[in-house]
Amino acid sequence: MDCCFRLLKRRGSRDPLFLTGVTFPPEYPASPETLVKLTVYDVRDKARDNSSFLGSVTFSVSDLLRSKDDQLTLNLRSSDGVLAVGTVLVSRVNMGEMEEGDMDHITADVQQAQKCTLVCESSQGTQNDKDNSPLTGAVFKNPVCKVYKFQTVDSKWMLVREQMEECTLSFSIPRQLLHLYIQEDMRRIQELRDLGELSPHWDNLRKEVIGRYGQVIAAYQETLAELNKITGPSFKPSCSKAQRYLEFIPINLHTQRMRVTCPRQTDAFYDVITVGAPAAHFQGFKGGGLQRLLSRHEAEKKSFSTAYQCIYYSPEHTAKAQEVLHSVGHLQPLISGLADQLLQAAQQHSMAGLREALKNLAGKTEQFVHALKDELVKSALLALHAAQPGYVTKNQNQTLPGHQGHSHQDHPSPSQRGQQGQSPPQNPGHSPGQPSATDSPVVVCNNVDGGSQTAPIREDGQAPLKRQDSIPCHKEYDEEEWDRVWADVAKSLNCVIAMVDKLQEQEPINNNQEQPIPKQVLADVITSHNPEGDWREQLCPLVVRLKECVAEVVVRARRAMTFVLLQEAACSIPQGLFLKQRRDVVFSQALAALACGFVMRLYAGMEDKGFLRQLHLVGLVAQFESLLSTYSEEIGMLEDMEVGISDLHRVAFKITLAKTDNPCDLQPVVIGRRDHYTVEVPLPQLAFQTLPHEIKEGKALQVYPVLFNVGINEQQTIADRFGDISLQERINQRNFEILDSYYKSLSDKVPSECLPCFQTQTDLKDLLETLGQNVVTKKRKNVEILWLAGTICRRLNGIRFTSCKSAKDRTSMSVTLEQCALLRDEHQLNKDYFIRALDCMRREGCRIENVQKNIKCRKYAFNMLQLMAFPKIYRPPEGTYGKVDS
């Protein structure tokens, strides 16, 4: 085995001392007969690979094992083997927890030499045994490791190990989401077709919306097919951020763990996930990002509704429509299954089984009825009825000939206002989805183009509201029909309950038992069934009737809510669907990063009972640190990222039992729809059995995403002095409130003993108060906001993320700074060595390897002018930066 050491000589040093580590990876196991050849080069320019050969030496592993104190002193020889050009000291190091004597032994020669008290070991492609479990191997790949030795304040030595890995979820989560997006849009198309026959106007709108959905589906299918062809690395390099087929993939997603080994202390580790800001780079930022685009689009939707002759529904109404659709689709099969269980218990004459099945059936049916208790359903049914062919009211004859073409006009003339429809005025406190009892509109319908209006008589004499400003209420339609159908479900359930009660009354008599007979007052009394005979035979007609009533309600509610979404989509064409695609892209990147962070945090906390208790009682905070500027394109990225991170509140996690221990069966699975996703994380049986009962039972585990942003580059300097930083201020203020609310909830439900212990004794409440003060302080490049938020996140057992545009340059400066700050604050890193440790990590650590992986060059993408605008602590060491394509 050949090992090449490339030594970078410090300026002014004629006799430098270096220390480099080599680890034998599992695929190349070492034996006593293994020969190791060390070749040493003098590297003058690392970027250009300008180096010269110094010497080499060969030894066997058995020589090292037989040596005194596990050390060999060897002479480097020139290429001809004649001249001795230097000395190499080879030592055997056991990674893991170390005793004080072991640590002193390892560093004895360095302490004696006193020529270089900060030394760096590096090894690539290896893993610590503690990190190389079947769990981590299933999701995390291609590790890069670096090992350092730093001096503490008491002149002891700590061993610090960085490990950076790729994550398979970078591609698997977006692939799953694309599949779910396609399924959801195909279901929406089918639901639109199931609306049945509509008048020409509405039918044309439906065809246009279906066509748009078809285009989105085709684009997603093409992207998914291309992603399925990809093999190789499990990350998207920053230079590919704008590639079309990779737009759903997070940029440069990696995990990074720092493990610290100190004398007389248990190993400590600190994790962070680094990822490029979730943003639609392929689509660009010419018009801004999602936050700005969505706000502008919502303001324009009312005018779109006029142009397309549709009803304007607020975001709350469309969200409610989606919720109702999901509820009925989810609950109907549950009710049907529970009804079958009831009949099965009846067939077995099991009264206990009958009561249990009835209890579950009643609970789900009540939940079903409650989900539909919304005036939006009734109003949408009325509007759908008016959109069907042949809908004519008693006032149809009053329609003027001039109304046959377009019945929706934005600005009707005064002479037309008596005949043209407008929506009724809203009473104070009256929801747009609720018909007002005081309005007496005259309904004018024309299904040549599907238009319909209502023209209320205003007592104040003012002009009526515009047609698209509220949901219409068609008084000519039988409004009580929906109430009757909806109430039939509850009545049918009452009949089932009454029959079970009657069967229970018979049970004590048949068994010669004297038990009190419960009495229940019901709205419907059953008298037509024979009290004797087979239980199933008596229950079956009632259960069938209940199923029929539920099915009838589902059909009507689904059509009504689909009609709401049809109009919302029609009002949004074409911009709305473009925005939906952009939001899908950003959310895909954000979810892949969150799933990666959740899995890493879960694996790390499997033996921490306090963490697991916190996980199921409250959930975890996921803190995203962003270094984007609020200027030029990056403000659009930040606007995308804000929406993407906020959308993560629609995500829950669930721990499941894996089918096998194979890596393919340990991959997280995403289920759900756009307004709510669940990520199922499978665990092997041995790990799963150690979880709390609540988690094993499938309790949904919540995550609370928060985003804090502070720009640090030269563009932020321009924004601070001449631009607008209100977006950054609003983001930080809003997310501080979320973080503070999470802490209060955690304090109420979880004892402080469940939280991790840190050397720094500052109270969490004080840290939050300081963060709140910094958030409202007008200070340029106030990076203390990021430091405090990161500290609070770690103290709360949270998941840490760090982002910039590409997650390789500014992110590297932030990650290395945080690591050295943790070594100083938690492990007594000698303050005199803080900057030297920081420079060492930035020059030789995992982050420069990340740069190499992304752009095939070991230089951070900074120039001297840019760095002059950076806070000093975020500047890389000389020789590690330059102008490169990033």
Side-chain angles (χ1 to χ4, degrees):
M1 178 177 292
D2 291 344
C3 302
C4 298
F5 300 153
R6 300 180 177 273
L7 306 183
L8 183 63
K9 184 182 290 185
R10 292 189 179 90
R11 291 183 179 181
S13 174
R14 296 186 177 182
D15 189 18
L17 177 69
F18 298 91
L19 192 149
T20 294
V22 177
T23 304
F24 293 100
E27 59 267 28
Y28 299 107
S31 67
E33 293 75 26
T34 300
L35 293 179
V36 180
K37 181 180 180 181
L38 306 179
T39 305
V40 183
Y41 292 83
D42 179 14
V43 180
R44 294 181 175 84
D45 190 334
K46 205 166 188 177
R48 294 188 175 87
D49 201 20
N50 184 7
S51 60
S52 60
F53 175 81
L54 288 180
S56 63
V57 65
T58 302
F59 67 95
S60 68
V61 173
S62 61
D63 294 337
L64 180 60
L65 295 176
R66 290 195 301 265
S67 64
K68 183 181 179 180
D69 298 329
D70 286 337
Q71 288 188 348
L72 284 177
T73 302
L74 305 172
N75 291 324
L76 283 175
R77 295 289 177 178
S78 58
S79 56
D80 55 11
V82 176
L83 297 176
V85 294
T87 301
V88 175
L89 178 64
V90 180
S91 300
R92 181 184 175 199
V93 178
N94 289 317
M95 292 300 299
E97 295 185 14
M98 296 187 178
E99 299 296 333
E100 182 178 5
D102 296 332
M103 188 69 76
D104 293 340
H105 168 74
I106 292 169
T107 61
D109 292 290
V110 177
Q111 289 174 309
Q112 292 171 7
Q114 290 297 314
K115 293 180 179 179
C116 180
T117 52
L118 176 65
V119 292
C120 170
E121 304 182 13
S122 64
S123 60
Q124 297 187 29
T126 63
Q127 282 188 299
N128 191 309
D129 290 340
K130 296 180 181 180
D131 302 320
N132 193 19
S133 69
L135 283 176
T136 58
V139 178
F140 305 112
K141 303 288 184 182
N142 302 328
V144 174
C145 307
K146 299 286 181 174
V147 184
Y148 313 89
K149 202 178 299 175
F150 299 135
Q151 194 174 47
T152 62
V153 292
D154 56 357
S155 298
K156 302 297 181 180
W157 291 82
M158 71 175 83
L159 208 60
V160 179
R161 188 173 189 275
E162 280 185 311
Q163 180 162 307
M164 179 181 69
E165 293 180 280
E166 299 167 14
C167 182
T168 60
L169 305 185
S170 287
F171 283 84
S172 70
I173 294 292
R175 285 192 188 107
Q176 293 180 66
L177 277 177
L178 276 166
H179 185 67
L180 292 173
Y181 291 156
I182 292 168
Q183 284 186 327
E184 183 176 345
D185 289 346
M186 291 178 71
R187 283 197 303 269
R188 184 59 43 79
I189 288 177
Q190 187 59 48
E191 288 167 353
L192 289 171
R193 289 173 176 158
D194 289 344
L195 282 176
E197 188 178 3
L198 298 176
S199 62
H201 169 71
W202 292 108
D203 192 48
N204 289 334
L205 283 179
R206 174 169 58 181
K207 290 177 181 176
E208 187 172 0
V209 171
I210 288 176
R212 293 286 183 178
Y213 275 121
Q215 293 172 11
V216 173
I217 291 171
Y220 284 4
Q221 287 174 331
E222 184 179 359
T223 299
L224 184 58
E226 292 296 323
L227 289 180
N228 288 332
K229 297 177 184 177
I230 294 176
T231 58
S234 300
F235 81 106
K236 179 174 80 173
S238 61
C239 56
S240 302
K241 68 171 75 72
Q243 288 189 14
R244 176 189 168 191
Y245 293 127
L246 296 178
E247 64 176 341
F248 288 86
I249 310 300
I251 301 167
N252 191 20
L253 175 62
H254 283 80
T255 66
Q256 183 150 330
R257 169 169 291 176
M258 180 178 72
R259 183 181 292 275
V260 185
T261 303
C262 292
R264 297 189 301 271
Q265 290 184 11
T266 304
D267 283 11
F269 61 88
Y270 307 92
D271 295 338
V272 64
I273 292 83
T274 59
V275 62
H281 291 273
F282 172 73
Q283 299 180 32
F285 309 96
K286 187 175 181 180
L290 272 172
Q291 188 272 333
R292 194 186 329 171
L293 293 171
L294 288 170
S295 297
R296 184 188 307 153
H297 176 66
E298 194 58 41
E300 294 173 348
K301 268 173 64 175
K302 289 188 178 183
S303 61
F304 292 158
S305 66
T306 299
Y308 282 87
Q309 300 181 26
C310 342
I311 304 165
Y312 169 73
Y313 288 95
S314 68
E316 292 76 17
H317 283 122
T318 55
K320 181 64 181 178
Q322 291 172 338
E323 181 185 336
V324 170
L325 277 174
H326 171 71
S327 295
V328 298
H330 173 69
L331 291 173
Q332 184 187 17
L334 291 181
I335 292 172
S336 179
L338 290 170
D340 291 338
Q341 289 181 21
L342 185 73
L343 292 177
Q344 185 177 4
Q347 187 172 5
Q348 298 171 352
H349 274 244
S350 169
M351 180 52 66
L354 205 62
R355 301 304 299 184
E356 181 64 23
L358 180 62
K359 177 183 175 183
N360 295 332
L361 177 62
K364 291 300 178 185
T365 306
E366 289 170 7
Q367 187 179 344
F368 175 83
V369 171
H370 180 74
L372 296 170
K373 190 178 181 180
D374 195 288
E375 288 294 332
L376 177 64
V377 181
K378 182 187 293 187
S379 285
L381 280 170
L382 302 180
L384 174 60
H385 183 77
Q388 294 170 345
Y391 175 62
V392 179
T393 70
K394 62 183 180 181
N395 297 308
Q396 178 74 28
N397 294 332
Q398 300 177 10
T399 306
L400 297 179
H403 287 233
Q404 296 296 320
H406 295 281
S407 57
H408 296 265
Q409 296 182 23
D410 196 12
H411 299 286
S413 65
S415 62
Q416 293 174 319
R417 281 190 182 145
Q419 291 83 20
Q420 180 174 348
Q422 307 291 342
S423 70
Q426 298 176 19
N427 293 333
H430 176 61
S431 167
Q434 297 173 333
S436 172
T438 61
D439 296 334
S440 301
V442 177
V443 180
V444 182
C445 299
N446 182 347
N447 276 326
V448 174
D449 65 352
S452 65
Q453 291 84 26
T454 61
I457 301 173
R458 299 277 301 254
E459 294 180 359
D460 55 10
Q462 297 180 9
L465 296 178
K466 291 182 181 179
R467 167 64 177 82
Q468 70 273 13
D469 284 342
S470 68
I471 299 171
C473 302
H474 303 276
K475 292 293 185 181
E476 299 304 316
Y477 179 72
D478 184 1
E479 295 184 21
E480 295 181 359
E481 182 178 353
W482 166 251
D483 292 333
R484 288 194 298 270
V485 173
W486 176 64
D488 280 346
V489 175
K491 293 178 180 179
S492 299
L493 176 64
N494 279 346
C495 291
V496 173
I497 293 172
M499 177 55 68
V500 172
D501 287 342
K502 284 183 174 293
L503 295 175
Q504 188 173 20
E505 290 174 9
Q506 299 168 19
E507 185 71 2
I509 299 173
N510 294 339
N511 294 333
N512 296 320
Q513 299 174 357
E514 293 187 8
Q515 296 180 357
I517 300 175
K519 296 182 179 180
Q520 183 174 4
V521 179
L522 299 172
D524 297 87
V525 180
I526 302 174
T527 59
S528 59
H529 294 276
N530 184 0
E532 303 295 335
D534 183 62
W535 286 5
R536 179 184 174 88
E537 184 179 335
Q538 296 179 65
L539 269 175
C540 190
L542 304 176
V543 170
V544 169
R545 176 58 183 160
L546 174 62
K547 285 184 177 182
E548 290 174 348
C549 291
V550 169
E552 174 77 9
V553 168
V554 167
V555 169
R556 290 172 182 259
R558 183 172 286 153
R559 294 179 70 231
M561 297 300 93
T562 300
F563 189 64
V564 170
L565 297 180
L566 166 64
Q567 293 171 93
E568 193 273 338
C571 293
S572 301
I573 290 175
Q575 184 67 7
L577 290 179
F578 291 152
L579 287 179
K580 187 182 77 167
Q581 287 179 268
R582 187 183 190 100
R583 200 165 187 170
D584 287 347
V585 166
V586 175
F587 179 77
S588 172
Q589 297 177 28
L591 181 58
L594 179 65
C596 170
F598 182 88
V599 170
M600 189 180 195
R601 187 66 191 88
L602 176 67
Y603 289 176
M606 288 296 296
E607 298 178 1
D608 185 345
K609 295 188 181 301
F611 164 75
L612 294 175
R613 183 178 179 185
Q614 173 189 351
L615 179 60
H616 75 79
L617 285 177
V618 185
L620 300 180
V621 65
Q623 185 252 327
F624 289 80
E625 171 187 308
S626 169
L627 297 157
L628 294 172
S629 67
T630 55
Y631 184 78
S632 188
E633 277 196 344
E634 288 199 3
I635 196 170
M637 298 176 200
L638 184 57
E639 290 170 339
D640 273 356
M641 186 177 186
E642 180 192 8
V643 174
I645 300 305
S646 176
D647 282 349
L648 292 176
H649 79 274
R650 300 183 275 126
V651 177
F653 288 82
K654 186 180 293 186
I655 313 301
T656 61
L657 177 61
K659 296 178 181 177
T660 70
D661 291 355
N662 292 331
C664 60
D665 290 327
L666 296 176
Q667 293 292 319
V669 177
V670 185
I671 59 174
R673 63 196 189 285
R674 281 183 178 90
D675 57 337
H676 183 77
Y677 288 102
T678 299
V679 181
E680 296 182 345
V681 182
L683 292 180
Q685 184 172 7
L686 288 177
F688 186 79
Q689 294 303 324
T690 64
L691 296 173
H693 174 76
E694 294 85 353
I695 296 180
K696 288 192 290 186
E697 287 297 308
K699 182 177 181 179
L701 309 175
Q702 302 302 317
V703 173
Y704 300 85
V706 292
L707 169 65
F708 291 92
N709 184 85
V710 177
I712 62 171
N713 65 1
E714 78 287 355
Q715 289 187 325
Q716 188 61 41
T717 302
I718 298 173
D720 286 339
R721 295 182 178 178
F722 311 109
D724 181 9
I725 61 171
S726 60
L727 173 64
Q728 175 175 286
E729 292 174 340
R730 180 178 54 77
I731 287 174
N732 291 341
Q733 179 62 44
R734 177 174 177 270
N735 286 274
F736 166 74
E737 293 168 0
I738 296 173
L739 184 61
D740 188 52
S741 175
Y742 171 83
Y743 169 70
K744 291 176 181 176
S745 176
L746 183 71
S747 301
D748 292 339
K749 299 178 181 178
V750 177
S752 59
E753 293 78 18
C754 292
L755 299 178
C757 297
F758 284 82
Q759 294 293 322
T760 50
Q761 298 299 317
T762 309
D763 186 70
L764 260 171
K765 190 175 182 181
D766 295 336
L767 287 172
L768 277 162
E769 184 177 343
T770 305
L771 176 60
Q773 292 170 355
N774 276 272
V775 163
V776 298
T777 300
K778 300 291 184 180
K779 181 181 177 182
R780 294 174 182 173
K781 299 183 180 179
N782 188 4
V783 291
E784 191 172 353
I785 291 174
L786 303 180
W787 302 346
L788 286 165
T791 300
I792 292 168
C793 174
R794 293 194 185 279
R795 297 279 292 272
L796 291 174
N797 261 331
I799 312 170
R800 278 277 294 114
F801 300 83
T802 300
S803 297
C804 61
K805 181 178 179 179
S806 61
K808 65 179 181 63
D809 301 311
R810 281 169 284 179
T811 294
S812 295
M813 300 302 103
S814 177
V815 168
T816 50
L817 175 60
E818 182 180 24
Q819 289 182 165
C820 286
L822 286 166
L823 294 177
R824 177 195 62 202
D825 298 337
E826 300 298 326
H827 301 282
Q828 290 76 52
L829 173 67
N830 193 318
K831 294 182 180 179
D832 294 337
Y833 297 98
F834 180 85
I835 296 299
R836 296 162 72 179
L838 188 60
D839 286 349
C840 181
M841 285 185 175
R842 289 172 175 175
R843 183 185 288 112
E844 304 290 343
C846 287
R847 299 316 304 177
I848 199 69
E849 300 297 338
N850 183 271
V851 174
Q852 172 73 28
K853 289 176 69 174
N854 277 273
I855 60 173
K856 310 302 180 187
C857 177
R858 298 175 66 87
K859 281 188 180 294
Y860 300 110
F862 302 131
N863 59 46
M864 182 61 72
L865 184 61
Q866 287 176 312
L867 291 178
M868 289 175 65
F870 275 47
K872 289 184 180 181
I873 204 71
Y874 286 88
R875 298 175 187 175
E878 187 177 347
T880 61
Y881 58 88
K883 186 177 181 181
V884 293
D885 295 329
S886 60

